Amino acid sequence: MIETTDHILTRHPQQNWFSRFQVAAVGVLTLIAIIGKFYLPRLVPNTQWLELPLLLTVYFGLMRRSQVQALLFGSCVGLAEDSLAPDNLPIGMYGITKTLVGYFAASVSLRFNVESWLVRCVLCFFFYVFHELFYWIMRRALLGQMVPFDPQTTLVHGALNALISIPLFLILDKMKVSGTS
């Protein structure tokens, strides 16, 4: 009882403020990424391949190392994406895929050291391909839509997203507060 009281009394008040700032920053960045996914291709041509919400889901899953938190984060990001998706897709398609990506990213982080930029880059490539393949399977199996799947394009876009993840993850690492995960 005394140790807990001492810990509460000796805790720095800035730590609480920084953790709140960090949560707010992640929320704002995620909101910008979701909105940017749909509006960036209108402003900058040929950027529809950029999956910033997916990269944030992967980063959150890898760094938090909590399967439940990553699962919830992925589902919230996916459902927010679904709310902006075209009318021919029901709500839940991105939600399911982002939930699985978040869960698997957190599961991988429990088994492997994910602090290396090379490991993160490979994982971003893998999760992009997984996301696109699973999304394609769901559209064909659940919705009965005959959508094409081009493996070569998917691999190229996966590599581009993996390259984008390197500076993005460095920026997100700089935002982390020391001593928290």
Side-chain angles (χ1 to χ4, degrees), residues 37 49-67 70-71 74 81 93-94 96-114 116-137 149 153-163 165 169:
K37 180 183 178 194
W49 54 266
L50 185 60
E51 268 285 343
L52 289 177
L54 177 70
L55 295 177
L56 287 176
T57 303
V58 170
Y59 180 81
F60 188 81
L62 292 176
M63 293 299 107
R64 293 299 291 182
R65 291 187 168 100
S66 169
Q67 294 167 333
L71 184 129
E81 252 184 287
M93 298 296 286
Y94 284 118
I96 294 169
T97 56
K98 295 285 191 301
T99 300
L100 290 173
V101 167
Y103 178 79
F104 290 138
S107 298
V108 166
S109 72
L110 293 174
R111 300 274 182 199
F112 302 106
N113 181 12
V114 292
S116 166
W117 66 269
L118 182 62
V119 172
R120 291 179 182 182
C121 188
V122 169
L123 287 173
C124 284
F125 174 78
F126 171 76
F127 284 125
Y128 179 85
V129 172
F130 170 78
H131 177 268
E132 290 297 312
L133 182 64
F134 195 72
Y135 186 75
W136 175 75
I137 289 170
F149 181 76
T153 303
T154 301
L155 294 175
V156 169
H157 290 170
L160 290 173
N161 275 286
L163 288 175
S165 73
F169 287 5

Side-chain angles (χ1 to χ4, degrees), residues 11-28:
R11 183 177 52 171
H12 299 290
Q14 293 177 341
Q15 183 180 12
N16 193 16
W17 183 83
F18 278 129
S19 63
R20 286 184 189 163
F21 172 75
Q22 193 175 19
V23 169
V26 167
V28 168

